[in-house]
Amino acid sequence: QVQLVESGGGLVQAGGSLRLSCAASGRTFSTYTMGWFRQAPGKEREFVAAITWSGGSTVYADSVKGRFTISRDNAKNTVYLQMNSLKAEDTAVYYCAAERRLNKLRVGVGEYWGQGTQVTVSS
């Protein structure tokens, strides 16, 4: 069992930065691939980024490449999403997810999900 809690969302101006955190509880955290998804009003949930348990492999959506960075600290049971050069289209609820296989998480299949944190980018 893995419990995920996101934090760090808020209101930021276009061009600004935010760092999201996802704190996980459960002894098996380090065995999971972790990822971030987002959902804007009226749109379907979309993949943002993922990182394997070792941190050796990362995957990003084309829309955030070069701007967002995913990382994890297994000792702290936490995964991060550093978001730079934010744009209005980044406005969404951001969700943390855990899945044992990266290829499954990449296509939206997650074993565990957090409740989400709101990110609003003003222009």
Side-chain angles (χ1 to χ4, degrees):
Q1 181 71 26
V2 177
Q3 183 75 30
L4 306 175
V5 180
E6 303 96 335
S7 63
L11 176 65
V12 64
Q13 294 185 3
S17 299
L18 284 174
R19 188 179 74 162
L20 305 183
S21 297
C22 175
S25 62
R27 295 182 179 181
T28 61
F29 170 78
S30 63
T31 70
Y32 283 84
T33 294
M34 302 297 297
W36 289 94
F37 293 77
R38 65 188 183 186
Q39 186 168 25
K43 297 183 178 180
E44 295 185 350
R45 185 185 64 198
E46 66 173 335
F47 171 81
V48 176
I51 185 169
T52 57
W53 70 268
S54 67
S57 296
T58 56
V59 180
Y60 296 93
D62 288 341
S63 60
V64 306
K65 286 182 179 178
R67 299 189 298 120
F68 291 10
T69 302
I70 188 170
S71 62
R72 68 189 296 165
D73 186 339
N74 289 341
K76 297 182 178 180
N77 288 343
T78 302
V79 62
Y80 305 95
L81 184 68
Q82 178 66 47
M83 305 185 294
N84 298 327
S85 301
L86 284 163
K87 306 174 181 179
E89 54 262 41
D90 295 319
T91 296
V93 176
Y94 283 71
Y95 298 92
C96 179
E99 171 61 50
R100 294 187 182 276
R101 302 177 184 176
L102 185 146
N103 61 335
K104 294 181 67 176
L105 190 59
R106 178 65 181 83
V107 298
V109 177
E111 187 173 353
Y112 302 100
W113 294 85
Q115 294 299 307
T117 185
Q118 177 71 49
V119 172
T120 302
V121 183
S122 64
S123 60

